[in-house]
Amino acid sequence: MTRPDSSAKPERNPKDESSGVETRRAALAMLESVLRRGDTLDVAQNTACKKLTRSDDAAFALAIVAETLRNLGGLDELLDGAMKKPLADHARPRFVLRLMLAQSLILGTPAHAVIATGLPLLAGGPRRLAHGVFSAIDKQRTALENESLLPDPPWLPPEVQERWQQAWGDDMTVKARKGFAKAPPIDLTVRDADKTDMLAEKLGAISMAARHLRLAEGVRLSDDPDFNAGDYWVQNLAASLPARLLGEGEGRTVLDLCAAPGGKTMQLAAQDWNVTALDSSKKRLKRLQENLDRTGLKADIVTTDLRVWEAPTASDAILLDAPCTATGTYRRNPDVLYRIGENEIQKLTSLQRTLLDRAAKWVKPGGQLVYAVCSLEPEEGEEQVQYFLEKHSNFTLKELPANALPQGIAADDNGCLRILPGMMEDQGGLDGFFVASFQRSE
């Protein structure tokens, strides 16, 4: 199932009560899947929304859950303040009330619709309690008129706040909270550079780098003939930077490791690289092939486990966008902040080191290895660079070409690229990201 845009905040009245209840039931299943089992919101949505026949119902369910996760700390504080005895963290009434309050306080759903579609989720449970708690908080909302009951900007989960504060300082966490308030704008990568201006005018977009477009808030892409013709694809500007740093390929060879669903593969092909794209997921590689077919770009696709695969020949360049915690995408995927902890960071750090060690063997002398993660954890970025250089003396950090970077983004003192919350904030910001470029000497 294609994931609807979680930034959407539709104000809609259910066609009838049963339809509205089923939408909320799907939202409840998604929220429980994320917070109880640690599933990604994508996985949770694929399962929870199977019974919903309309895409707008699925989009609304996702919007409810996304806003609940963005504002979870504030919602829980409201709930705890409205009850003499707080509900257990994983009690179903707490989950239902979180969703009900998110609709009322954030999405603007009328209170009567929230009650009519929320209380049926507590069949056999404490409906009267839930009704009373919701009504009490709704009265506070009405009394305050336009003043929000929720903290602005939203709180980060305490363990995330502490972890990022230790790594990056107070200023970063303040900006991270501000970034958590809403989903980021939609970025596009344009296949043919000479079409950028035409597409920008048509879509009302701005361009912040070569082959890049950023849509205005509220603009939605639906059945655009230029998209169907393969003129562009959706890709956050930060995620496009690793391929940009490799520049024009001029027919040289590159391995795109962990390539699916294919944004960087398409970039490299459009930049005239001879691309081999590798990934372990057949399903995701099928989507990559569909993207290549749509854009008319070419790449060789290999389904394999990189931990055992061996390259038949060395390549001029390698792009390793490694499996990571993806905490840098928290604005788009608020669930990530509730699923990722120290154990997950350690497991992924170990895998990244394995993949870096293997990739180092597949680079030609004089060739380039670009390592990237969409993570805000230094263990996955800066510490991996230190590890790699200590173990591989035949590699050095390569200076990043300034002309490949958007204005306002520059390499750090070590020559790497670290994107944190708050960067390019006036233009809508970027995903958190880390990129390092290594060159092999022999």
Side-chain angles (χ1 to χ4, degrees):
M1 180 181 292
T2 300
R3 179 172 178 169
D5 181 4
S6 64
S7 67
K9 296 185 180 181
E11 293 186 15
R12 60 186 297 275
N13 292 319
K15 299 177 291 298
D16 52 57
E17 185 173 313
S18 62
S19 170
V21 171
E22 288 307 311
T23 299
R24 274 66 171 190
R25 198 181 306 282
L28 176 60
M30 292 163 65
L31 187 63
E32 290 183 327
S33 181
V34 170
L35 296 181
R36 288 182 188 273
R37 294 188 291 277
D39 291 336
T40 67
L41 198 48
D42 279 327
V43 169
Q45 187 250 342
N46 284 339
T47 301
C49 293
K50 283 182 178 179
K51 293 183 180 180
L52 300 181
T53 58
R54 292 173 53 114
S55 61
D56 59 342
D57 287 336
F60 189 51
L62 184 60
I64 295 170
V65 176
E67 294 308 323
T68 300
L69 292 171
R70 290 186 210 286
N71 294 276
L72 195 65
L75 294 171
D76 279 346
E77 184 181 55
L78 280 175
L79 290 174
D80 292 343
M83 292 181 288
K84 293 181 180 179
K85 183 179 179 181
L87 295 163
D89 285 346
H90 290 309
R92 171 161 284 213
R94 180 181 286 275
F95 279 85
V96 172
L97 281 164
R98 286 164 168 168
L99 296 171
M100 292 174 68
L101 290 176
Q103 293 171 73
S104 174
L105 301 179
I106 304 165
L107 297 176
T109 306
H112 67 85
V114 173
I115 292 170
T117 56
L119 295 185
L121 303 180
L122 292 171
R127 293 193 191 191
R128 182 175 296 180
L129 170 66
H131 193 177
V133 171
F134 175 80
S135 297
I137 295 174
D138 190 60
K139 286 179 181 178
Q140 295 180 47
R141 177 191 63 81
T142 303
L144 290 173
E145 296 181 349
N146 293 327
E147 204 170 320
S148 176
L149 294 176
L150 297 171
D152 183 21
W155 295 331
L156 297 170
E159 60 275 16
V160 176
Q161 171 87 16
E162 182 179 358
R163 192 171 72 234
W164 288 356
Q165 205 162 24
Q166 290 179 355
W168 310 113
D170 292 341
D171 185 57
M172 181 274 198
T173 56
V174 170
K175 291 176 179 177
R177 285 184 59 196
K178 189 174 180 180
F180 205 25
K182 63 178 183 178
I186 296 173
D187 289 332
L188 310 176
T189 298
V190 179
R191 181 189 59 197
D192 302 320
D194 57 4
K195 290 188 176 181
T196 303
D197 291 343
M198 178 272 291
L199 289 169
E201 183 176 359
K202 174 191 169 183
L203 296 172
I206 61 171
S207 180
M208 298 157 63
R211 301 181 189 232
H212 168 264
L213 296 175
R214 172 160 289 183
L215 300 181
E217 187 173 355
V219 173
R220 295 288 177 263
L221 300 170
S222 60
D223 299 322
D224 180 21
D226 292 314
F227 174 81
N228 294 329
D231 286 342
Y232 61 82
W233 53 92
V234 176
Q235 184 181 34
N236 187 267
L237 178 56
S240 74
L241 296 179
R244 292 175 184 274
L245 294 176
L246 284 172
E248 294 298 316
E250 299 176 343
R252 290 175 292 162
T253 57
V254 61
L255 298 180
D256 184 8
L257 308 181
C258 311
K264 297 175 184 65
T265 296
M266 291 185 286
Q267 281 184 273
L268 293 168
Q271 292 166 202
D272 196 29
W273 284 90
N274 183 354
V275 188
T276 299
L278 304 98
D279 202 280
S280 61
S281 171
K282 290 183 179 180
K283 182 177 180 180
R284 285 165 57 83
L285 283 175
K286 180 180 178 183
R287 183 177 169 194
L288 188 156
Q289 185 62 64
E290 291 170 350
N291 285 328
L292 289 172
D293 292 342
R294 180 175 60 82
T295 57
L297 296 168
K298 303 295 183 184
D300 294 326
I301 294 177
V302 178
T303 306
T304 189
D305 183 342
L306 293 170
R307 294 170 296 182
V308 298
W309 182 78
E310 292 293 348
T313 58
S315 295
D316 295 300
I318 290 179
L319 195 163
L320 171 58
D321 187 0
C324 70
T325 59
T327 51
T329 70
Y330 75 102
R331 297 189 304 162
R332 288 185 287 120
N333 304 303
D335 55 297
V336 71
L337 297 190
Y338 300 96
R339 296 186 292 99
I340 297 299
E342 293 298 335
N343 288 340
E344 289 78 14
I345 293 171
Q346 291 177 12
K347 289 178 183 177
L348 287 161
T349 298
S350 177
L351 175 60
Q352 291 153 10
R353 291 185 176 186
T354 296
L355 296 179
L356 274 167
D357 289 340
R358 294 188 64 75
K361 302 186 300 180
W362 306 330
V363 184
K364 288 181 180 179
Q368 189 175 354
L369 167 59
V370 173
Y371 169 76
V373 284
C374 52
S375 167
L376 287 167
E377 316 306 324
E379 296 94 327
E380 299 183 272
E382 289 80 358
E383 293 181 21
Q384 295 291 38
V385 170
Q386 182 180 353
Y387 160 83
F388 184 79
L389 292 176
E390 288 176 354
K391 187 168 183 180
H392 300 275
S393 59
N394 58 336
F395 280 86
T396 56
L397 278 171
K398 180 179 173 65
E399 183 177 355
L400 304 183
N403 60 0
L405 300 174
Q407 187 173 0
I409 298 296
D412 62 20
D413 293 340
N414 296 317
C416 301
L417 192 62
R418 166 55 77 183
I419 298 177
L420 293 171
M423 290 185 177
M424 303 185 77
E425 186 176 23
D426 291 343
Q427 296 103 314
L430 298 169
D431 280 358
F433 229 86
F434 179 84
V435 188
S437 180
F438 304 99
Q439 186 163 24
R440 180 174 174 175
S441 58
E442 59 180 45

